[in-house]
Structures are given as structure tokens and as C-alpha cells.
Amino acid sequence: MRRKEIIRPDLNPNVSVDCVIFGFDFQQLKVLLIEREGDFPDEKSRLALPGNLIYDDENLNMAVNRVLKELTGLDNIFLKQIGAFGGVDRISKETDKEWLRSIRAHPDARVITVAYYSLVRISDYLPAASSFAVTANWYNVDEIKDLAFDHYTILKTGLNQLRREISFRPIGFNLMPEKFTLGQLQRMYEAILGRSLDKRNFRRKIMKINILSATDEKEYDVPHKPAQYFKFNEANYKSLVETGFDNFSF
Amino acid sequence: MRRKEIIRPDLNPNVSVDCVIFGFDFQQLKVLLIEREGDFPDEKSRLALPGNLIYDDENLNMAVNRVLKELTGLDNIFLKQIGAFGGVDRISKETDKEWLRSIRAHPDARVITVAYYSLVRISDYLPAASSFAVTANWYNVDEIKDLAFDHYTILKTGLNQLRREISFRPIGFNLMPEKFTLGQLQRMYEAILGRSLDKRNFRRKIMKINILSATDEKEYDVPHKPAQYFKFNEANYKSLVETGFDNFSF
DNA sequence: GCAAAAGTGTTAACTGTACACCCATGA
DNA sequence: TCATGGGTGTACAGTTAACACTTTTGC
């Protein structure tokens, strides 16, 4: 018998939030998944998106921020709603049903989940901060083929939305450290979009939208010409995010 | 005392669906709203999006299709999820609270609503088919300034999504009758986008994506050169919807 | 004949895309 | 000196956007 989630009378059995937490390690797009305890047919179906039921005195934003805070220790993460999923048919896998019986006060309740994707700097994430009674790890997005419940559908939907959104707003900066090179930035776009981009065209385009400032720092100790570090120009970014911009795609 | 909604024990008090039902009368973009009974400070806040709580044995799709069927008598309407809204702070208006007390079994429950927009041919809609105990009418979208609860926010969000979507897929055909002129089609795009379009550029673009077939019929009894009627070419449309298309904006 | 919407091409500006070489550094 | 990724410009193709006149009909 595994231990039940903290059971409060005001935990609503019908509405949950789930998070697709994206990160970027300068090579690949990552997603933070939790590993469930128990017996599962394979390793993939053991993995799940972090999420939880919501409390009766919370709205959706409060709930998803609480889940993120509990898992990552982080506040004020970039968040965007993917949408609402499901109903009675969400929980079709027998192992998922068993697992719910082991941790839920109302294991058979129909749960509608509201999913969000969030973008975090992997370096800010401290696994130790987690108050979840689970282990969480970063996985390469393109290696994930299945997940618990309908979480794989949610992941794919979130990734598609991120791909679309990044063509309209430079939200990808939430994945980057304060200082970064143009090469790193390009690799982030390539990781999200899943295709390679032309270096010269990328640079022309990203410089044109005017949200980067060059710093006077350079890489060092690299076995090639050291790249210049850039910072993200917040003022220009904000006005851009508000108006959106028409033409921004790679 | 007004009559309560049909109260079934399996009506979930925490999750509802709401619909932004768009129509087009060849002049303006319309939205189907219900008029609530009772005392309200002004006519606008009396109006609301059609919607209802969901049953425990329904998933979200079943619920929204049920609501649409009950209200419009129509099946198989084009539907797209806008997203999930709210929590405790959705019901901030005192008159809304009073109204809920008059019709709900659990008037104070926190309700998360999942909103959808749908596109219907106004000519298919039969007000008489409605089994809702309310009156429903079409209103010009651009004249709506406020609605019950957070429904105005939902309406604006849905309209923005429709505007964006219509630049990627020709979903607007769900608003049109079987045969239509290019002028009518252009007015539909203008009504949705809220701006006027160049006639020649519009025609070139819409013909290029190859989803229209000319019929041999023309307008008659019109005080100007009669326009040719076109039909929507479903086969081409379907392949297009599946692949999406890159370049389609006016 | 007049009012009203249908129908029809061309041009200039801009945007996207493809492409190749030298540079600075560590090993 | 070699391997590695940084940094840079140009030319062609395709797309967008602006623009005006003739046609057909009802009245």
C-alpha cells in the first residue's frame, strides 16, 4: 500500500491541472516528468506529467502555480494554457486505474484536467526543492512515445502550441539563461521546431526584431572562435509581446 | 421563484461547458446568446453564452454537443475548444450570484467552465428546436460590450482564436450556405477579421488554394451584374485541412 | 442613363531562401 | 596545423499590397 496524496476535504475530485514543463539544455528540448511508483508494463507508461487535483478555494491559475511551485520550487514561471482534456474515457489503461486506487480518495471520479505548458531555465530548477513525493527528471521530448493516461496527447498538443506560439512571440527566452550566444539561441529554436535553420538567415531575422543587446563578454576556453554573449532586451520585448508581431517565423 | 434546471444527481456541480456560437448573415458576424430571466442592471448583463453543467457520465465533447443540440437542434456542428476558464473568482457580479441561486442545486459551487466556439449556418438554425427554457437570439458580435459572468472574456478570446484560425484553415465555410458568391465569401472574411480586404487580391488568393468549384448558376433579380455561384470543394478542402497550409492570410 | 456590385492585371516593395568563405581559438 | 563553430552578404524567387476601369443588371 503506497501512501495516499494529502487528503483535504476541499480537494475537488473532478478537476485537475497538469503541466508540460519544457526545458532546454543547449542541445535538446526537455520535458520534466514524474515517475510513478508501482508495477507498470513498461518504463514509459510509468512516466506522467506532474499535476494534481485542485482545491475548492483555488482558481485554475492558483492551482497550476501551486503545482509548479511544489515540484520545482519556482515562482513566476512562464505559463500558457493548452486546454481542457477529457472526461470518462481519459483513464482507459488498467494500470492507471490501479494506480489511482492507490493514491486517491475518490479513485473512480471522472476527472477533467486543464493542461498548461511552462518554460523554465533548467539551471533554475532545483530537484531538491520538490515537495512532491515522487522523483522527477528531465527527458528528451523526442524520445517520449507514450505516457500515463492521456498525457502523451497533452504533451504533443502542448508542443504543437509552443511551436506555433514561438513563431509569433519570442517566448523561448524563458528557456535561456541571462547571457547566451546566437548559436545557443538558434539551437533552441531548432530544438523546438524540430528542424535545422540557416545560420545567416536566423541571425538576420533575430537581430531585426530588436530584442537582443550585445554584451561585451565573449565565450572563453572554447576550441573555436569565441562567440559574443547577448542579453535579452526586456523593454523591447515587452512592447513586442503586447502588440504581437506579424512576421516572425523561421 | 423561477424554475430550477432539471436536477439530476449526476449533474456535476463543478464543471460546465459554454458555447460561443458564431453565425453570419451575409453582413455581420453574429453570436447566439440566451436571455436570462430576472432583474439585471442593464440589458447586456442579462445576456449569456449558452452552456450547462456536465453529467458525470459525459466527457467534454459529449457535453458540448448535447448543449448545442438542445439549443439549436443541430448535430455535427463545427466545434473548437477555446480553453478552460476560471475558478472561484468567475462569479463576481452580485446579480449573477442571485441568478444562480434561483436555478442551481449548488449555487455556490466553484465552477470551471470549458468554452468552445462553433460555426453554424444561420439558415440551419431553428429557434423552435430549442429545448432550453430560455429565449435565444442572434446578436451582432461587435455590438456586445458585456455579458454575464466572464462570458465577455470568453467571447473575445474565442473571436481572437477564430481570427487566427481562419488564417490557417478555411473553416469559415461552416458559416456559409452550399452556394455562395465570392462577394459573400469576402464579406464573411471581412466580418470575422474586422477589416476590409482588397477585392482583387482576395479573389486571387482564395482561388489559388483551390477549394472552390464554380457552378453554372448566377444570381438573378439583382440590380447589378449578377455574380456567379461557387461551391465548396470538399475533397480539396479535406486534404488541405489535414496538412494545414502555410500561407493563407488576408 | 444611373446606381450598384461583379469581374479582371500589372507593378513595386518586401520577404524568404539558398548559398561559401574567412576567423579565432584550443588541442 | 587541424578541427570546430563564429561571423558575414548577395542574388533570385515568391508573396504582398496598392491601384482603376469595364460589365451586367434592375429601376
Side-chain angles (χ1 to χ4, degrees):
Chain A
M1 183 69 188
R2 290 175 293 276
R3 107 194 138 90
K4 299 242 174 191
E5 290 168 332
I6 301 150
I7 289 171
R8 283 171 43 173
D10 55 346
L11 247 191
N12 188 295
N14 301 119
V15 184
S16 68
V17 295
D18 285 315
C19 285
V20 181
I21 303 173
F22 289 114
F24 177 63
D25 65 356
F26 296 124
Q27 313 242 34
Q28 302 209 54
L29 189 63
K30 302 279 194 173
V31 60
L32 191 63
L33 299 173
I34 62 172
E35 207 170 306
R36 298 181 292 169
E37 295 173 18
D39 297 325
F40 294 94
D42 54 70
E43 279 310 298
K44 298 300 171 133
S45 56
R46 177 193 294 278
L47 298 174
L49 296 175
N52 214 331
L53 298 174
I54 81 175
Y55 293 114
D56 277 333
D57 58 355
E58 286 180 318
N59 61 29
L60 290 169
N61 271 331
M62 289 156 72
V64 65
N65 278 296
R66 172 175 56 81
V67 166
L68 281 171
K69 174 80 177 180
E70 285 171 357
L71 182 67
T72 67
L74 300 175
D75 284 314
N76 285 112
I77 309 187
F78 175 89
L79 260 180
K80 198 152 165 44
Q81 191 188 110
I82 298 169
F85 290 80
V88 283
D89 50 352
R90 282 191 65 214
I91 305 165
S92 53
K93 301 172 192 166
E94 192 52 41
T95 48
D96 287 338
K97 287 179 195 158
E98 279 171 30
W99 184 73
L100 286 177
R101 274 179 228 124
S102 78
I103 66 153
R104 286 267 161 90
H106 302 275
D108 298 321
R110 181 268 319 282
V111 178
I112 304 282
T113 199
V114 181
Y116 292 78
Y117 70 84
S118 62
L119 305 177
V120 310
R121 295 179 193 175
I122 285 186
S123 60
D124 288 351
Y125 164 68
L126 302 172
S130 173
S131 64
F132 265 42
V134 290
T135 54
N137 283 108
W138 293 105
Y139 295 84
N140 290 332
V141 169
D142 58 14
E143 284 167 19
I144 301 297
K145 302 291 178 231
D146 193 22
L147 290 174
F149 309 111
D150 54 356
H151 288 187
Y152 182 60
T153 303
I154 294 174
L155 171 60
K156 278 191 302 183
T157 309
L159 178 57
N160 283 336
Q161 289 190 20
L162 172 59
R163 283 180 175 163
R164 182 184 297 203
E165 190 71 11
I166 209 164
S167 296
F168 291 104
R169 297 180 221 279
I171 55 175
F173 288 98
N174 294 288
L175 296 167
M176 302 295 285
E178 202 180 344
K179 290 169 184 169
F180 47 83
T181 69
L182 293 181
Q184 291 170 335
L185 191 61
Q186 181 176 344
R187 263 167 266 138
M188 180 202 71
Y189 275 92
E190 290 175 334
I192 291 177
L193 295 173
R195 62 192 165 91
S196 59
L197 302 171
D198 180 272
K199 183 165 55 163
R200 278 174 288 193
N201 294 338
F202 176 82
R203 283 164 188 244
R204 193 181 317 119
K205 188 134 202 167
I206 205 81
M207 294 315 284
K208 192 175 163 200
I209 61 175
N210 208 35
I211 52 170
L212 299 185
S213 327
T215 69
D216 50 9
E217 289 175 68
K218 291 190 172 196
E219 284 181 315
Y220 60 92
D221 205 33
V222 287
H224 54 77
K225 179 171 175 178
Q228 186 166 31
Y229 279 113
F230 285 81
K231 284 201 318 203
F232 170 49
N233 181 331
E234 195 136 359
N236 291 349
Y237 170 75
K238 276 196 179 144
S239 67
L240 205 59
V241 165
E242 273 165 32
T243 61
F245 40 79
D246 282 336
N247 264 311
F248 186 75
S249 55
F250 291 102
Chain B
M1 185 67 188
R2 291 176 293 276
R3 107 193 138 90
K4 298 242 173 191
E5 291 168 331
I6 301 150
I7 289 172
R8 284 171 42 175
D10 55 346
L11 247 192
N12 189 294
N14 300 118
V15 184
S16 68
V17 296
D18 285 313
C19 286
V20 181
I21 303 173
F22 288 114
F24 177 62
D25 65 356
F26 297 123
Q27 313 242 34
Q28 301 208 54
L29 189 65
K30 303 280 193 173
V31 59
L32 191 62
L33 299 173
I34 64 172
E35 207 169 306
R36 298 182 293 170
E37 295 172 19
D39 297 324
F40 293 94
D42 54 71
E43 278 310 300
K44 298 299 170 133
S45 57
R46 175 193 296 277
L47 297 174
L49 296 174
N52 214 333
L53 298 174
I54 81 176
Y55 293 113
D56 276 333
D57 58 355
E58 286 180 319
N59 61 27
L60 289 170
N61 271 330
M62 289 157 71
V64 65
N65 278 294
R66 171 175 58 79
V67 166
L68 281 171
K69 174 81 177 180
E70 286 170 355
L71 182 68
T72 66
L74 301 175
D75 283 314
N76 286 110
I77 308 185
F78 176 89
L79 260 181
K80 198 151 166 42
Q81 191 188 112
I82 298 169
F85 291 80
V88 283
D89 49 352
R90 282 190 64 212
I91 305 164
S92 54
K93 302 171 191 166
E94 193 52 42
T95 48
D96 287 338
K97 289 179 194 159
E98 279 172 29
W99 185 73
L100 286 177
R101 273 178 229 125
S102 77
I103 66 154
R104 287 266 161 92
H106 302 277
D108 298 320
R110 181 269 320 282
V111 178
I112 306 281
T113 198
V114 182
Y116 292 78
Y117 70 84
S118 62
L119 305 177
V120 310
R121 296 179 192 174
I122 285 186
S123 60
D124 288 350
Y125 165 68
L126 301 171
S130 172
S131 64
F132 265 42
V134 289
T135 54
N137 285 106
W138 292 104
Y139 294 84
N140 291 332
V141 169
D142 58 14
E143 285 167 19
I144 301 297
K145 301 291 178 233
D146 192 23
L147 290 174
F149 309 110
D150 54 355
H151 289 187
Y152 183 60
T153 303
I154 294 174
L155 171 60
K156 278 191 301 184
T157 308
L159 179 57
N160 283 336
Q161 291 192 18
L162 172 59
R163 282 179 176 164
R164 180 183 298 201
E165 190 70 12
I166 208 163
S167 296
F168 291 104
R169 297 180 221 278
I171 55 176
F173 288 97
N174 294 287
L175 296 167
M176 302 296 286
E178 202 179 346
K179 290 170 187 171
F180 46 84
T181 69
L182 294 180
Q184 291 170 335
L185 191 61
Q186 181 176 344
R187 263 167 268 139
M188 181 201 71
Y189 275 92
E190 290 175 334
I192 291 176
L193 295 172
R195 63 193 165 90
S196 60
L197 302 172
D198 180 90
K199 183 165 54 162
R200 279 174 290 191
N201 294 338
F202 176 82
R203 283 164 188 244
R204 193 179 319 117
K205 188 134 203 168
I206 205 83
M207 294 316 284
K208 192 174 162 199
I209 61 175
N210 207 34
I211 51 171
L212 299 185
S213 326
T215 70
D216 49 9
E217 291 175 66
K218 290 190 171 199
E219 286 181 315
Y220 59 92
D221 205 32
V222 288
H224 54 77
K225 179 172 174 177
Q228 186 167 29
Y229 279 111
F230 286 81
K231 284 201 320 206
F232 170 49
N233 181 332
E234 195 136 359
N236 291 349
Y237 170 76
K238 276 194 179 145
S239 66
L240 204 60
V241 166
E242 272 165 34
T243 61
F245 40 80
D246 281 336
N247 263 311
F248 187 75
S249 57
F250 290 103

